[in-house]
Amino acid sequence: MRLHSTVPTATYRLQLQPSFPFRAAEEAVPYLASLGVSHLHLSPVLEAVPGSTHGYDVVDHSAVRTELGGEEGLRSLARTAREHGMGLILDIVPNHMALPAPATLNGPLWEVLRDGPASRYARWFDIDWAEHGGKVLLPVLAGPLGGELRHFGVAGRAHGDERVLRYHDHAFPLRPGTERLPLPELLDAQWYRPAWWRLARTELNYRRFFTVSELIAVRVEDPEVFAATHGKVVQLLRDGVADGLRVDHPDGLADPAGYLHRLAEATDGRWTVVEKILSGGERLPGDWPVAGTTGYDALRHLDGLFVDPAGAAELGARYRAFTGLPPDRGGDWPATVRRAAYKVITHELAAETERLVRTAGRICEGSHRLRDTAPWALRTAVHEILVRLPVYRPYAVPGRPAAPVDAALLERAAQDARAAFTVPEEACAADVVRDAALGRLGQGPDQRDFCARFAQTASALRAKSVEDTAFYRHAPLLSAAEVGGDPGRPAVSPEDFHAYCARLQHDWPATGTVLSTHDTKRSADVRARIAALSECPGRWAELMDRLAAEAAEPRAPDPHVAWLAWQSAFGLGPANPADAARLAFAVLKSVREAGLRTTWTEPDAAYEAAVEAFVAAHPCGPARAALAPLEDALWPSVRANTLGAALLHLTMPGVPDLYMGTERAYAALVDPDNRRPPAFPAGDGAGDGGLSAGGGDLSAEKLHLTRTVLRLRRARPEWFGPGASYEPLAADGPAAGHCVAFARSGAVVTVVSRLHGRLAQDGGLRGTVLPLPGGGRWREVLTGASFSCEAPVALAELLERCPVALLVRD
């Protein structure tokens, strides 16, 4: 890995939106500087769909978003940040643009819809012009065309003399010379075909972001498209407005490695992290010229440390008994993932897989050796191989040797896929798909297309089937159902955590690390509370049984909803009047995403009403008091999990990214709950409350810890940065397994206790000591206590006031 120009010591993510523009961020700069972060990490800043609360629906790459304050607002924020010793990191979206209403907002797409494949912008978008008679299918109609014709009309454009086709809020260009045709003939004469929105599943002929038809994919593999879509970002970097980049969803690109090399060249190697989700033991490709990932792999290791493995297994058994769910509908994790993948590949992504089948068919037709491979066999092979991929995608490119890891991955998937065929000769279709996906069948247009689209479809399938479906169907321990997580193996041992950190320091020392993001389904503090349930699975299950037996009307429509809602309520913490609407929406979103009883596109109104009524009456009603005894009993674990995860995150290898508001206790559920505009204190927000022996104010404790560590990182970056070292420290004694400790550069030591429920049962920290490295004395900077390293430190003394400690050589 190569060195990068400016490596942040810590970043702070701000989710910009019209209600929190550049000016609001600028007003928060003194406070954020006082925390000790080196850079503000901004959500996308380029022109987006009006009103967008996230900015990933870009409509114009050449302009900074007007609703946020425009380019002058961004430059003003950058100047103020510089005055306070901070820089900016920009989030960029290379994979897709918005297909907005009206389409006039997206200038390049407007010209393509007007001029067709001859447009100068046709190369921007991945459109299969061979389908639908050379027209772009636009799935925007509320119903079938016949019933919607009366809503169409031709009118003048809001700005200019050009005539346009209008449908409700939509406006589309007219092919020159067709303006005066009768409506039916006018529709047939366009380069696009307005269609019922339900046709998107099977008929769409442009590549999109996952299954979101309103986001049309962009072909940044084309050098001209890259230059046009990155010009403004590169200018902002060269002008010193920004220092680095976060790249959104690189797995959606045709050639991520090629794109990242072009980006590194254009940006002179600025610090860049990529939103790459690593599954299981997957490693980030070593040839990517980036600092690392955005940190979901770190999140999984951090969360897993605070999950009791035996307790998690028992929770799984209790969940299956309580819900009665069959293995492939939530009862068993691998079976649930596989069933979800089959459903997504044959429904939501049917258009994408059919394009692969058509392309594979053309490849076979062009080869005497492959010509008799039947389309049904190719379709079966595509489906069976895709659902068996355990990672987001391979990274093969025609004309280059496939990486051994990709070759082995697809070989295993193809071998297993052969079992779906009865006739061995027909099973050879799996070999055809495998070789095409690895780029082994040549370098023609169809071969290149299949190789790229297979990988892009694989990433969409993984995201939709795991993150957006299986995570909501399998819910024994909700804290494990997080982006990058593995609910089948939620616990991480201290040994595995140390091995992971050692790899990071060696291979990707400037990578990003996170605990909460704008995409996490539950904030870190909510997950910390839920993880504590793994320490008392029997007590939780007994409470669930009692609540179900005693519940008055309205009852939960099914046991899964009851488990999900009560565990979410426990994660939110003590009752708050505002929780009812937040929790109801999150649970409703969960059951829609799960897609077992209701969905976004086929809602069951009666079922959804029953879900909302149950949540309001029980987890958000008087019955919520039943959680109080368990909350009191688990408070030591919740406190230890919350502070422990925060301290590990801030001192482990990598660059920690703090999500807005998480320097204090922060309880948020799935978006849009986690994208609420923050409220920052005026000025520098001095005064943080410190630590208390009983941990009465967890929010104040977390702020004190966060501010202390961030300022230390800013003052001594060499202790934590790319040139630092990481040394695991082993405790000795009966409670050694409850301690995670390491030294950074021999100058600072992190100590965290874990699994406090089990720890109390095992007699506490008595008799367990931690040897400190080197000679001299150490100062515990969170409390001010001093310790000598001449003899091992007793953990009971070190952690007397707080379940975590940070020692600096005095």
Side-chain angles (χ1 to χ4, degrees), residues 616-671:
H618 295 283
C620 292
R624 199 205 177 284
L627 294 179
L630 188 57
E631 289 174 330
D632 291 342
L634 288 178
W635 171 247
S637 292
V638 169
R639 182 185 180 217
N641 292 358
T642 302
L643 297 179
L647 181 58
L648 291 172
H649 176 220
L650 295 173
T651 57
M652 69 184 288
V655 177
D657 181 47
L658 279 78
Y659 191 61
M660 57 186 191
T662 58
E663 67 274 16
R664 294 178 170 83
Y666 179 77
L669 300 174
V670 70
D671 65 279

Side-chain angles (χ1 to χ4, degrees), residues 578-602:
D579 287 349
R582 298 167 59 203
L583 185 59
F585 180 87
V587 174
L588 193 58
K589 181 171 183 175
S590 294
V591 297
R592 286 173 175 169
E593 295 283 13
L596 294 174
R597 299 281 301 275
T598 187
T599 70
W600 294 101
T601 54
E602 290 86 28

